[in-house]
Amino acid sequence: MIVEDEILIRQGLEKAFDWAELGFSLDALMEDGYEALDYLKKNPVDVILSDIKMPGMDGLEMMRRIRGIGRDIEVVFLTGYADFSYIKQAMSGQAFEYILKLDLLTEVEPVFRRLKNHLDQKRALACFQGQAQEIVQLMDNPGAVQQAQRYVLAHFMENLRMEEVARRFYMSPAHFSRMYKQATGHSFSDHVKELRLGWAYKMLGETDLLVQDIARSAGYADMKHFTQIFKERYGVPPSWVREGRCSS
């Protein structure tokens, strides 16, 4: 949802960017925070792109009310004010990012690509939360390995290297490898692959995203490699899952 009181900017934001290519659908255009909150009463929204300074209810007050009712919505602010106090309030209220209006044409796309990755990671963590719980119950070392496991669940779509994760949690790679396998029943690389493929399988069956976009979001830039390991894991190519030609 876009919330902007200046009609030319509001309409310009709607038309200047290929929101679908960025991974988003534009659901609504609103003039101020009051309209936005009224819309949110009946409609789910993942992201709000909003001006900070607006008549009626400004963006900061709108965000405070959204947080107050417990809605998990990411907010990106637009501001024509290179003013530290506005920026500080926006970020302390847990806005995802702010963009100066002077930088709109160059900053919107990279910010929203980062935001799409962030939302994918949040969704992935939610999808696998029940399986996090199972792993945690099996752990003999509830300290560093448990923290590492949670880190992997939140970041498995990124270019994770075991050595870097081990170092992050102050363990030697060899010790970390042994403890991780003991806790999960899989080697680090096999477990990351299992999480990625499980995520891809779920997205293929439940969304209309392009197969190559799902592969990329799961951490696979090479479609040929993705198709090969997906077929090895599930016995069918990704396209079959998308077409509903398999049941499990």
Side-chain angles (χ1 to χ4, degrees), residues 117-118 120-126 128 147-161 164-165 168-169 180 188 191-193 195-196 199 216-219:
N117 288 334
H118 173 70
D120 284 344
Q121 290 179 8
K122 284 174 64 175
R123 187 186 299 178
L125 185 58
F128 290 102
Q147 295 175 36
Q149 175 65 14
R150 289 174 177 168
Y151 181 83
V152 170
L153 287 174
H155 297 275
F156 67 84
M157 290 180 289
E158 301 172 11
N159 184 24
L160 285 182
R161 297 180 63 250
E164 294 175 354
V165 178
R168 174 181 288 270
F169 295 97
Y180 197 90
F188 179 85
H191 190 234
V192 170
K193 181 170 73 172
L195 290 172
R196 287 176 170 178
W199 158 255
R216 195 178 302 114
S217 74

Side-chain angles (χ1 to χ4, degrees), residues 6 12 23 28 36 51 73 94 136 140 166 171 177 200 203 230 243:
E6 296 184 42
D51 197 355
I73 299 174
Q94 298 181 330
V136 167
D140 292 329
M171 301 173 71
S177 178
M203 292 299 100
F230 189 95
E243 296 165 5

Side-chain angles (χ1 to χ4, degrees), residues 78-248:
L78 301 174
T79 178
Y81 303 81
D83 187 312
F84 180 73
S85 64
Y86 282 106
I87 295 169
K88 183 178 180 181
Q89 289 181 70
M91 303 317 289
S92 65
Q94 298 181 330
F96 180 79
E97 187 58 274
Y98 70 91
I99 302 173
L100 293 177
K101 289 184 177 180
L102 290 174
D103 299 328
L104 268 179
L105 294 179
T106 58
E107 290 299 312
V108 165
E109 289 194 7
V111 166
F112 272 78
R113 291 192 192 281
R114 286 196 294 108
L115 179 51
K116 180 61 167 59
N117 288 334
H118 173 70
L119 290 171
D120 284 344
Q121 290 179 8
K122 284 174 64 175
R123 187 186 299 178
L125 185 58
C127 287
F128 290 102
Q129 193 64 44
Q131 180 184 355
Q133 294 305 316
E134 290 179 10
I135 292 169
V136 167
Q137 292 172 6
L138 295 173
M139 287 184 173
D140 292 329
N141 180 354
V145 177
Q146 181 180 17
Q147 295 175 36
Q149 175 65 14
R150 289 174 177 168
Y151 181 83
V152 170
L153 287 174
H155 297 275
F156 67 84
M157 290 180 289
E158 301 172 11
N159 184 24
L160 285 182
R161 297 180 63 250
M162 186 190 70
E163 294 79 7
E164 294 175 354
V165 178
R167 186 161 52 247
R168 174 181 288 270
F169 295 97
Y170 306 101
M171 301 173 71
S172 71
H175 181 61
F176 176 79
S177 178
R178 288 194 300 271
M179 295 300 296
Y180 197 90
K181 187 167 185 178
Q182 180 181 345
T184 67
H186 300 279
S187 69
F188 179 85
S189 60
D190 284 347
H191 190 234
V192 170
K193 181 170 73 172
E194 187 71 12
L195 290 172
R196 287 176 170 178
L197 293 177
W199 158 255
Y201 191 102
K202 185 175 181 65
M203 292 299 100
L204 286 165
E206 298 183 5
T207 75
D208 294 325
L209 293 173
L210 296 176
V211 175
Q212 56 264 37
D213 289 338
I214 291 174
R216 195 178 302 114
S217 74
Y220 296 101
D222 186 330
M223 268 299 297
K224 184 176 180 180
H225 177 60
F226 170 69
T227 300
Q228 177 185 343
I229 62 173
F230 189 95
K231 190 172 182 179
E232 289 174 357
R233 171 61 179 84
Y234 295 108
V236 296
S239 59
W240 281 31
V241 181
R242 168 50 49 83
E243 296 165 5
R245 296 170 64 182
C246 59
S247 59
S248 63

Side-chain angles (χ1 to χ4, degrees), residues 27-53:
D27 290 347
L29 301 173
M30 299 295 171
E31 292 186 14
D32 62 27
Y34 288 114
E35 283 193 356
L37 288 174
D38 189 56
Y39 182 84
L40 291 174
K41 291 177 182 177
K42 298 180 180 179
N43 301 278
V45 171
D46 295 315
V47 178
I48 295 177
L49 175 60
S50 174
D51 197 355
I52 285 187
K53 196 72 171 178

